[in-house]
Short mmCIF file of all heavy atoms in Angstrom, two decimals:
data_model
loop_
_atom_site.label_atom_id
_atom_site.label_comp_id
_atom_site.label_asym_id
_atom_site.label_seq_id
_atom_site.Cartn_x
_atom_site.Cartn_y
_atom_site.Cartn_z
N TYR A 199 96.75 75.10 87.15
CA TYR A 199 97.50 76.34 86.96
C TYR A 199 98.70 76.24 87.89
O TYR A 199 98.57 76.45 89.10
CB TYR A 199 96.63 77.55 87.30
CG TYR A 199 95.45 77.68 86.36
CD1 TYR A 199 94.26 77.01 86.63
CD2 TYR A 199 95.55 78.42 85.20
CE1 TYR A 199 93.19 77.09 85.75
CE2 TYR A 199 94.48 78.52 84.32
CZ TYR A 199 93.31 77.85 84.61
OH TYR A 199 92.25 77.94 83.74
N PRO A 200 99.87 75.84 87.35
CA PRO A 200 101.05 75.61 88.18
C PRO A 200 101.39 76.81 89.06
O PRO A 200 101.20 77.95 88.66
CB PRO A 200 102.16 75.34 87.17
CG PRO A 200 101.44 74.81 85.96
CD PRO A 200 100.14 75.57 85.93
N THR A 201 101.90 76.52 90.24
CA THR A 201 102.19 77.55 91.23
C THR A 201 103.04 78.68 90.65
O THR A 201 102.76 79.85 90.90
CB THR A 201 102.91 76.94 92.45
OG1 THR A 201 102.09 75.89 92.95
CG2 THR A 201 103.16 77.97 93.52
N ALA A 202 104.02 78.36 89.86
CA ALA A 202 104.90 79.39 89.31
C ALA A 202 104.16 80.37 88.41
O ALA A 202 104.55 81.52 88.28
CB ALA A 202 106.04 78.74 88.52
N SER A 203 103.05 79.94 87.83
CA SER A 203 102.33 80.82 86.90
C SER A 203 100.96 81.23 87.42
O SER A 203 100.21 81.87 86.71
CB SER A 203 102.16 80.12 85.55
OG SER A 203 101.32 78.99 85.69
N VAL A 204 100.61 80.85 88.67
CA VAL A 204 99.27 81.09 89.15
C VAL A 204 98.93 82.56 89.25
O VAL A 204 97.96 83.02 88.69
CB VAL A 204 99.02 80.39 90.51
CG1 VAL A 204 97.74 80.86 91.15
CG2 VAL A 204 98.97 78.90 90.29
N GLY A 205 99.73 83.35 89.97
CA GLY A 205 99.35 84.74 90.16
C GLY A 205 97.99 84.80 90.80
O GLY A 205 97.82 84.40 91.95
N ASP A 206 97.01 85.22 90.07
CA ASP A 206 95.64 85.26 90.55
C ASP A 206 94.74 84.83 89.40
O ASP A 206 94.65 85.51 88.38
CB ASP A 206 95.30 86.67 91.03
CG ASP A 206 93.96 86.75 91.75
OD1 ASP A 206 93.09 85.88 91.52
OD2 ASP A 206 93.78 87.70 92.52
N LEU A 207 94.05 83.72 89.57
CA LEU A 207 93.20 83.17 88.50
C LEU A 207 92.02 84.06 88.15
O LEU A 207 91.40 83.90 87.12
CB LEU A 207 92.67 81.79 88.92
CG LEU A 207 93.71 80.73 89.17
CD1 LEU A 207 93.03 79.44 89.66
CD2 LEU A 207 94.51 80.46 87.92
N PHE A 208 91.68 85.02 89.03
CA PHE A 208 90.48 85.82 88.83
C PHE A 208 90.77 87.21 88.24
O PHE A 208 89.87 87.93 87.89
CB PHE A 208 89.74 85.96 90.16
CG PHE A 208 89.47 84.63 90.79
CD1 PHE A 208 90.16 84.24 91.92
CD2 PHE A 208 88.55 83.76 90.24
CE1 PHE A 208 89.94 83.00 92.49
CE2 PHE A 208 88.32 82.52 90.80
CZ PHE A 208 89.01 82.15 91.93
N GLU A 209 92.03 87.59 88.16
CA GLU A 209 92.38 88.90 87.59
C GLU A 209 92.25 88.87 86.07
O GLU A 209 92.50 87.84 85.46
CB GLU A 209 93.81 89.29 87.98
CG GLU A 209 94.01 89.56 89.44
CD GLU A 209 93.36 90.84 89.94
OE1 GLU A 209 92.94 91.69 89.13
OE2 GLU A 209 93.25 90.99 91.15
N PRO A 210 91.90 89.97 85.48
CA PRO A 210 91.55 91.24 86.12
C PRO A 210 90.11 91.22 86.61
O PRO A 210 89.21 90.84 85.88
CB PRO A 210 91.73 92.26 85.01
CG PRO A 210 91.42 91.52 83.75
CD PRO A 210 91.87 90.08 84.02
N ASN A 211 89.90 91.61 87.84
CA ASN A 211 88.55 91.76 88.40
C ASN A 211 88.56 92.95 89.36
O ASN A 211 88.11 92.86 90.48
CB ASN A 211 88.10 90.47 89.10
CG ASN A 211 88.95 90.09 90.30
OD1 ASN A 211 90.11 90.46 90.40
ND2 ASN A 211 88.36 89.34 91.21
N ASP A 212 89.05 94.08 88.85
CA ASP A 212 89.28 95.25 89.69
C ASP A 212 88.17 96.30 89.65
O ASP A 212 88.32 97.36 90.24
CB ASP A 212 90.61 95.90 89.29
CG ASP A 212 91.79 94.97 89.52
OD1 ASP A 212 91.74 94.17 90.48
OD2 ASP A 212 92.74 95.01 88.74
N ASP A 213 87.06 96.02 88.96
CA ASP A 213 85.94 96.94 88.94
C ASP A 213 84.67 96.18 88.55
O ASP A 213 84.72 94.99 88.26
CB ASP A 213 86.19 98.12 87.98
CG ASP A 213 86.55 97.68 86.57
OD1 ASP A 213 85.97 96.68 86.08
OD2 ASP A 213 87.39 98.33 85.94
N PHE A 214 83.54 96.88 88.55
CA PHE A 214 82.27 96.22 88.24
C PHE A 214 82.26 95.58 86.86
O PHE A 214 81.74 94.48 86.69
CB PHE A 214 81.09 97.21 88.35
CG PHE A 214 80.73 97.57 89.75
CD1 PHE A 214 80.68 98.89 90.15
CD2 PHE A 214 80.43 96.59 90.68
CE1 PHE A 214 80.32 99.23 91.45
CE2 PHE A 214 80.09 96.92 91.99
CZ PHE A 214 80.04 98.25 92.36
N THR A 215 82.81 96.24 85.87
CA THR A 215 82.75 95.71 84.50
C THR A 215 83.63 94.49 84.30
O THR A 215 83.36 93.68 83.42
CB THR A 215 83.12 96.79 83.46
OG1 THR A 215 84.43 97.27 83.74
CG2 THR A 215 82.13 97.94 83.49
N SER A 216 84.68 94.34 85.11
CA SER A 216 85.55 93.16 84.95
C SER A 216 85.37 92.16 86.09
O SER A 216 86.20 91.26 86.28
CB SER A 216 87.02 93.61 84.88
OG SER A 216 87.41 94.23 86.08
N ALA A 217 84.26 92.28 86.83
CA ALA A 217 84.00 91.37 87.95
C ALA A 217 83.98 89.92 87.48
O ALA A 217 83.45 89.61 86.41
CB ALA A 217 82.68 91.71 88.62
N TYR A 218 84.58 89.04 88.27
CA TYR A 218 84.62 87.62 87.94
C TYR A 218 83.26 87.00 88.21
O TYR A 218 82.67 87.18 89.27
CB TYR A 218 85.69 86.91 88.78
CG TYR A 218 85.88 85.48 88.41
CD1 TYR A 218 86.70 85.11 87.34
CD2 TYR A 218 85.24 84.47 89.11
CE1 TYR A 218 86.87 83.79 86.98
CE2 TYR A 218 85.41 83.15 88.77
CZ TYR A 218 86.22 82.82 87.70
OH TYR A 218 86.37 81.50 87.35
N VAL A 219 82.71 86.26 87.24
CA VAL A 219 81.40 85.63 87.36
C VAL A 219 81.53 84.33 88.15
O VAL A 219 82.31 83.45 87.79
CB VAL A 219 80.78 85.35 85.98
CG1 VAL A 219 79.44 84.65 86.13
CG2 VAL A 219 80.63 86.64 85.20
N VAL A 220 80.76 84.22 89.22
CA VAL A 220 80.76 83.03 90.07
C VAL A 220 79.42 82.34 89.91
O VAL A 220 78.38 82.97 90.03
CB VAL A 220 80.98 83.41 91.56
CG1 VAL A 220 80.92 82.19 92.45
CG2 VAL A 220 82.29 84.15 91.74
N SER A 221 79.43 81.04 89.64
CA SER A 221 78.20 80.27 89.55
C SER A 221 77.63 80.04 90.95
O SER A 221 78.37 80.03 91.93
CB SER A 221 78.46 78.92 88.89
OG SER A 221 78.91 79.09 87.58
N ASN A 222 76.33 79.85 91.05
CA ASN A 222 75.69 79.59 92.33
C ASN A 222 76.29 78.35 92.98
O ASN A 222 76.60 77.37 92.30
CB ASN A 222 74.19 79.40 92.16
CG ASN A 222 73.50 80.69 91.77
OD1 ASN A 222 74.04 81.77 91.98
ND2 ASN A 222 72.33 80.58 91.18
N ASN A 223 76.43 78.39 94.29
CA ASN A 223 76.93 77.27 95.10
C ASN A 223 78.36 76.87 94.78
O ASN A 223 78.73 75.71 94.92
CB ASN A 223 76.01 76.05 94.98
CG ASN A 223 74.64 76.34 95.53
OD1 ASN A 223 74.52 76.95 96.59
ND2 ASN A 223 73.62 75.94 94.81
N VAL A 224 79.17 77.80 94.31
CA VAL A 224 80.57 77.51 94.01
C VAL A 224 81.44 78.06 95.13
O VAL A 224 81.29 79.19 95.56
CB VAL A 224 80.98 78.12 92.66
CG1 VAL A 224 82.47 78.05 92.46
CG2 VAL A 224 80.27 77.40 91.53
N LEU A 225 82.34 77.23 95.60
CA LEU A 225 83.29 77.63 96.63
C LEU A 225 84.59 78.01 95.95
O LEU A 225 85.18 77.24 95.21
CB LEU A 225 83.52 76.46 97.59
CG LEU A 225 84.59 76.65 98.65
CD1 LEU A 225 84.21 77.77 99.60
CD2 LEU A 225 84.79 75.36 99.41
N ILE A 226 85.05 79.25 96.19
CA ILE A 226 86.34 79.69 95.70
C ILE A 226 87.33 79.45 96.83
O ILE A 226 87.20 80.03 97.91
CB ILE A 226 86.31 81.17 95.29
CG1 ILE A 226 85.35 81.36 94.10
CG2 ILE A 226 87.71 81.66 94.93
CD1 ILE A 226 85.13 82.78 93.70
N HIS A 227 88.29 78.56 96.61
CA HIS A 227 89.19 78.16 97.69
C HIS A 227 90.22 79.22 98.03
O HIS A 227 90.69 79.28 99.16
CB HIS A 227 89.90 76.85 97.33
CG HIS A 227 88.97 75.70 97.33
ND1 HIS A 227 88.60 75.05 98.48
CD2 HIS A 227 88.31 75.09 96.33
CE1 HIS A 227 87.75 74.09 98.18
NE2 HIS A 227 87.56 74.10 96.89
#
Side-chain angles (χ1 to χ4, degrees):
Y199 296 87
T201 304
S203 66
V204 168
D206 189 337
L207 298 177
F208 307 108
E209 293 290 346
N211 64 335
D212 297 327
D213 55 37
F214 286 126
T215 59
S216 63
Y218 185 83
V219 178
V220 177
S221 298
N222 291 339
N223 296 317
V224 169
L225 174 64
I226 296 174
H227 291 279

